[in-house]
Amino acid sequence: MSYLFLDSRFTEEARVWWVGEASEEVWQDGGRAQTALATIARERSRLANDLRGVCVVGGPGRFSGLRVGVLYAHVLARWYRVPLYALTPDDVVSRASRQAFVDGIITGTHSATNYVAPVYDREPTITTPRV
C-alpha cells in the first residue's frame, strides 16, 4: 500500500517519492519535471501492483514545471484508477510530513479530489518566436 508523491513547483527541482505506510524511497530529487515521467515509467510494475493513490503539490509554483507535474498526476491517477490527492507545500517539506499525509489518508482525514488545479506564482511569460 504505497502512494506516489509529486512536487514540480520549481524549475530544475522536480521531486518524486514513493511513500508507504512505514517507508519512503526518493525516486527523483532535482531535474526538470519532464524527466519525472521517465523516472516513474521505470517503476511501472510497482505502480501496477502497489499504487494506492497519487499525491501532487498544486502550487504555487513556476508555470512549466508545475503544469507538467500536475498533468502527470492526473494522468497516472486515471491510468491506474487510483485516487488523486492535492498537497500543500507544507505536506512535502520533510519525510515526517509526507508520512503524516499518508497516515491522514489511511485514517480518513485527507480525502481524494477529482481535479487539482495548478496555482502559478506569477503570470506565464510565453512569447511568440521570432521569424
Side-chain angles (χ1 to χ4, degrees):
M1 186 165 175
S2 297
Y3 297 84
L4 184 70
F5 278 64
L6 296 160
D7 181 8
S8 62
R9 293 173 292 142
F10 305 110
T11 306
E12 304 289 333
E13 293 183 25
R15 291 178 174 84
V16 180
W17 299 274
W18 182 251
V19 181
E21 288 184 51
S23 64
E24 175 177 298
E25 293 177 31
V26 178
W27 283 4
Q28 179 174 326
D29 189 8
R32 299 183 70 80
Q34 292 83 344
T35 63
L37 190 58
T39 300
I40 294 166
R42 284 192 294 270
E43 300 288 346
R44 64 183 169 267
S45 65
R46 287 177 75 184
L47 291 169
N49 294 324
D50 298 330
L51 183 64
R52 296 295 174 255
V54 178
C55 308
V56 64
V57 178
R62 305 298 170 115
F63 181 76
S64 294
L66 188 59
R67 180 175 57 124
V68 168
V70 170
L71 172 70
Y72 288 170
H74 281 273
V75 168
L76 290 166
R78 291 187 193 275
W79 182 266
Y80 289 104
R81 295 185 177 123
V82 296
L84 177 66
Y85 297 92
L87 301 170
T88 67
D90 291 338
D91 294 327
V92 295
V93 73
S94 68
R95 181 178 181 159
S97 63
R98 291 185 294 274
Q99 194 62 54
F101 194 88
V102 169
D103 293 343
I105 293 171
I106 294 167
T107 61
T109 306
H110 299 295
S111 57
T113 183
N114 290 325
Y115 181 73
V116 176
V119 177
Y120 306 115
D121 60 1
R122 65 187 73 158
E123 290 294 317
T125 54
I126 301 171
T127 58
T128 305
R130 293 183 185 182
V131 180

